[in-house]
Amino acid sequence: MNEPIKQAPVGIDLGTTFSVIAYLNENGRPESVPNSEGDLLTHSVILFDDQDVIVGKEAAKAMASELELVAECPKRQIGQRVFDKQIAGRRYPPEALQGWILRKLKLDAVRTVGEFDQAVITVPAYFDEVRRKATQDSGFIAGIKVQDIINEPTSAAIAYGYLSGWLDQKGLAVEKTRFLVYDLGGGTFDVTIMEADGRDFKTIATDGDYQLGGRDWDQRLIDHVADAFCDANGFDPRENSEALGKLIRDCKDAKETLSTRSRASITCAFGNSTQRVEITREQFLRMTQDLLDRTDFTVRQTMKQANLKWTDIDRVLLVGGSTRMPAVVDMLHGLSGKAPDNSLSPDEAVAHGAAIRSAMLLDHYSDTIPIQSIRNVNSHSLGVVANEIETGLPQVVQLIPRNTPIPVNSRRIFRTHKADQESILVQIVEGESKNPADCSQIGRCTIWDLPEDLPIGTPIEVKFGYMENGRLTIKVKVGGEDRRAFRYELKRPNGLTQEQLESWRQYISSAET
Ligand code: ADP
Ligand code: MG
């Protein structure tokens, strides 16, 4: 067997719009690694260009001209069986698309970091078990051993704590600190309230508005400029894909300009007409106020769920590129009564925390950084489907309600319904509804090889649990007999089989030169 390589600690923020890979440098400081184009952020976009698969900036550029060849933001669809857009006649599972992104991050990083095969990958706190598993599978496809899957806000909190001195050199919280992480990215928004105490990082509550992000702010500018163009010229630049592509890029740039300057201008050219539109920060604020208000509402809701007052919160942390908008900082300052902490780069903090987490889990680093326990809650309730006695209709029986601190186990007794039964089938779901169809289907678990001659009604105890990382575990006991390991198989309706994973892994790595 090969000696395991003494690799540097590596963490990956596999983001919806941008992904970042970071490592812990020789001085124990997290550092983002530039990709082969020299950028710290890699667009989470994939272009299928004949035989070549291109990830990143060039793929994002191609969205303006060859949209049909581009898979954009696969993270939005992770957990589904296939990505809903067909590309050159082919449908890809989201895991494979995410695998390509991870693969690029890895290959580019090796040049700076040296060889590595292990990394920590982050996921949103609201990801259900299916999406966590699919993210882990993406890592496998990319040839990465996933040391841990941690929540993005937890990761950001670790980075803030470690770098701003409220965790000591050993990674322990100097004093109990409660914080609120406000993460506004390109396409999603979430809020998490956490507590750090010694080695414990505990999530208290998490919520979000998963269809809200920087692109909604872009859209307001796009419509503003296009409407002005229409008024002046009588036709709409949004109807032409090339003109629209350019408008999208220019409006995003203008939005980012307005974070540092008080005015910006956008020029829209289409047909033989050109329209220049000036916009001030105040105007922009007015046209997007309702979007900001939505985040304000979610923050208040989360505080309510956590049963906390603002005086109970020690710090407000800003994560996600869109928190660079001054209006976000002002709103949070007004709401919380304290200046939000933006001492770290908001688009890198998540990856940096993951690199620190990676160090905690690497044996050859354990002297430098001790392991911290990260206590999360499950963001969705776990249940099994059972037929209701009176109606015979399938119904969800809840086993572990949402927001329960994990790890956690719950057991349920099933009974054989005929003599000599050889197997039983358990359907496992996540969600808040009684109706199985409204829940996320984790899968069907078949328990095989039950002992022979079991009388009808024999109790079969199935223990379901969540591990620290939110992944599911299953244990089975039959007739009170617990030391036997019963074989079971969990079939995931949307997951890839081990053979499919292997074959995607082969496929993606064979394309490299
Ligand atoms: P995600 O977590 O969704 O992958 P990021 O946290 O990297 O993404 O955030 C990307 C978003 O941040 C984009 O919508 C981008 O326009 C926005 N953004 C980046 N810099 C700025 C800025 N200076 N002002 C306003 N928005 C910005
Ligand atoms: Mg993000």
Side-chain angles (χ1 to χ4, degrees):
M1 267 214 17
N2 292 340
E3 267 286 289
I5 42 174
K6 286 218 166 137
Q7 63 156 81
V10 177
I12 300 175
D13 170 8
L14 187 57
T16 312
T17 11
F18 289 106
S19 296
V20 181
I21 185 164
Y23 78 119
L24 223 56
N25 68 17
E26 310 73 52
N27 306 322
R29 304 281 295 182
E31 212 179 288
S32 307
V33 186
N35 61 24
S36 56
E37 295 85 54
D39 301 318
L40 297 180
L41 311 189
T42 299
H43 284 88
S44 304
V45 179
I46 305 131
L47 166 69
F48 293 86
D49 188 16
D50 286 333
Q51 295 309 306
D52 296 330
V53 181
I54 296 161
V55 174
K57 186 153 68 183
E58 289 309 316
K61 276 198 216 156
M63 282 165 61
S65 49
E66 297 157 286
L67 192 56
E68 69 287 355
L69 299 179
V70 175
E72 185 199 356
C73 308
K75 184 174 177 178
R76 284 179 170 277
Q77 295 183 32
I78 195 91
Q80 293 180 18
R81 202 170 57 76
V82 287
F83 192 66
D84 58 16
K85 180 166 155 191
Q86 192 163 330
I87 296 159
R90 208 167 163 186
R91 280 188 177 277
Y92 295 93
E95 291 94 318
L97 298 171
Q98 295 277 71
W100 260 299
I101 297 173
L102 287 169
R103 191 76 196 158
K104 171 182 172 69
L105 294 171
K106 180 179 172 186
L107 290 182
D108 285 1
V110 161
R111 300 170 317 145
T112 307
V113 176
E115 270 308 321
F116 67 91
D117 63 357
Q118 304 186 56
V120 168
I121 301 180
T122 60
V123 293
Y126 62 84
F127 257 26
D128 58 21
E129 206 271 343
V130 171
R131 290 185 277 179
R132 284 169 196 265
K133 154 90 168 107
T135 304
Q136 233 168 2
D137 288 347
S138 309
F140 176 86
I141 288 176
I144 295 172
K145 284 191 201 131
V146 182
Q147 293 171 279
D148 198 3
I149 294 273
I150 63 170
N151 290 348
E152 289 162 10
T154 309
S155 192
I158 291 174
Y160 271 97
Y162 185 76
L163 292 169
S164 54
W166 43 274
L167 296 185
D168 64 16
Q169 276 305 302
K170 290 200 171 293
L172 307 182
V174 178
E175 52 193 32
K176 185 159 154 177
T177 314
R178 237 187 249 125
F179 40 89
L180 180 135
V181 184
Y182 176 104
D183 182 349
L184 186 60
T188 55
F189 169 63
D190 47 86
V191 186
T192 305
I193 298 170
M194 307 192 54
E195 190 175 277
D197 189 6
R199 288 192 181 180
D200 252 3
F201 269 75
K202 191 167 79 181
T203 304
I204 302 173
T206 181
D207 205 342
D209 194 334
Y210 312 126
Q211 302 296 334
L212 181 67
R215 58 161 85 180
D216 297 292
W217 272 258
D218 300 348
Q219 191 61 45
R220 293 292 162 85
L221 275 184
I222 294 165
D223 291 337
H224 177 74
V225 176
D227 289 346
F229 185 98
C230 279
D231 289 347
N233 302 292
F235 54 101
D236 193 339
R238 282 166 293 200
E239 281 165 11
N240 176 283
S241 67
E242 213 159 307
L244 178 61
K246 183 172 175 305
L247 192 57
I248 293 175
R249 271 205 312 274
D250 292 350
C251 287
K252 179 173 173 286
D253 285 349
K255 173 193 75 175
E256 294 179 5
T257 299
L258 287 170
S259 294
T260 35
R261 301 189 53 182
S262 57
R263 58 180 62 241
S265 76
I266 302 152
T267 304
C268 176
F270 176 41
N272 291 324
S273 308
T274 302
Q275 183 77 26
R276 191 180 132 96
V277 178
E278 278 262 346
I279 184 134
T280 65
R281 193 186 279 174
E282 278 67 38
Q283 279 175 306
F284 179 55
L285 180 58
R286 256 183 296 179
M287 66 175 78
T288 53
Q289 185 64 47
D290 61 309
L291 300 174
L292 195 62
D293 290 347
R294 272 165 69 184
T295 74
D296 173 301
F297 175 79
T298 306
V299 171
R300 289 171 199 265
Q301 283 290 107
T302 316
M303 287 291 288
K304 217 181 267 169
Q305 278 172 37
N307 227 340
L308 293 173
K309 301 183 295 299
W310 283 108
T311 45
D312 301 322
I313 302 285
D314 302 300
R315 280 160 203 274
V316 176
L317 308 184
L318 296 177
V319 179
S322 301
T323 61
R324 289 214 173 84
M325 293 189 286
V328 168
V329 181
D330 295 345
M331 181 275 284
L332 278 170
H333 198 159
L335 189 60
S336 67
K338 43 195 122 254
D341 188 332
N342 56 2
S343 54
L344 294 191
S345 161
D347 23 37
E348 296 171 85
V350 171
H352 287 190
I356 298 166
R357 176 68 179 161
S358 167
M360 293 175 199
L361 300 173
L362 285 174
D363 281 345
H364 58 277
Y365 261 84
S366 54
D367 294 343
T368 333
I369 302 183
I371 205 155
Q372 280 162 344
S373 88
I374 295 182
R375 284 196 288 156
N376 286 320
V377 291
N378 56 326
S379 46
H380 305 268
S381 304
L382 182 79
V384 292
V385 178
N387 287 335
E388 206 188 34
I389 303 198
E390 293 96 59
T391 60
L393 292 174
Q395 272 224 332
V396 175
V397 180
Q398 209 180 71
L399 298 180
I400 304 176
R402 68 181 287 226
N403 281 334
T404 306
I406 53 177
V408 63
N409 287 308
S410 168
R411 36 178 228 123
R412 183 167 169 85
I413 307 282
F414 298 86
R415 289 185 187 273
T416 52
H417 55 258
K418 60 175 193 211
D420 303 328
Q421 192 169 322
E422 286 169 358
S423 68
I424 57 166
L425 179 75
V426 183
Q427 191 183 343
I428 308 168
V429 297
E430 267 186 342
E432 310 316 315
S433 169
K434 281 252 161 234
N435 180 358
D438 295 335
C439 292
S440 162
Q441 307 295 316
I442 293 187
R444 290 167 169 273
C445 175
T446 313
I447 296 147
W448 304 99
D449 296 345
L450 294 179
E452 282 171 19
D453 308 325
L454 285 184
I456 184 168
T458 304
I460 314 244
E461 181 185 320
V462 185
K463 208 157 128 192
F464 302 90
Y466 284 114
M467 294 183 277
E468 282 85 349
N469 62 7
R471 291 294 320 284
L472 185 74
T473 57
I474 298 174
K475 290 203 182 92
V476 184
K477 277 189 198 175
V478 175
E481 187 185 336
D482 56 348
R483 259 160 224 91
R484 266 191 66 166
F486 291 95
R487 200 158 63 82
Y488 71 84
E489 184 188 19
L490 180 62
K491 273 222 170 78
R492 292 171 175 268
N494 293 336
L496 299 175
T497 62
Q498 194 55 37
E499 293 83 74
Q500 287 169 319
L501 287 173
E502 298 277 357
S503 121
W504 278 110
R505 181 179 168 123
Q506 280 283 325
Y507 184 72
I508 287 179
S509 67
S510 67
E512 282 148 20
T513 46

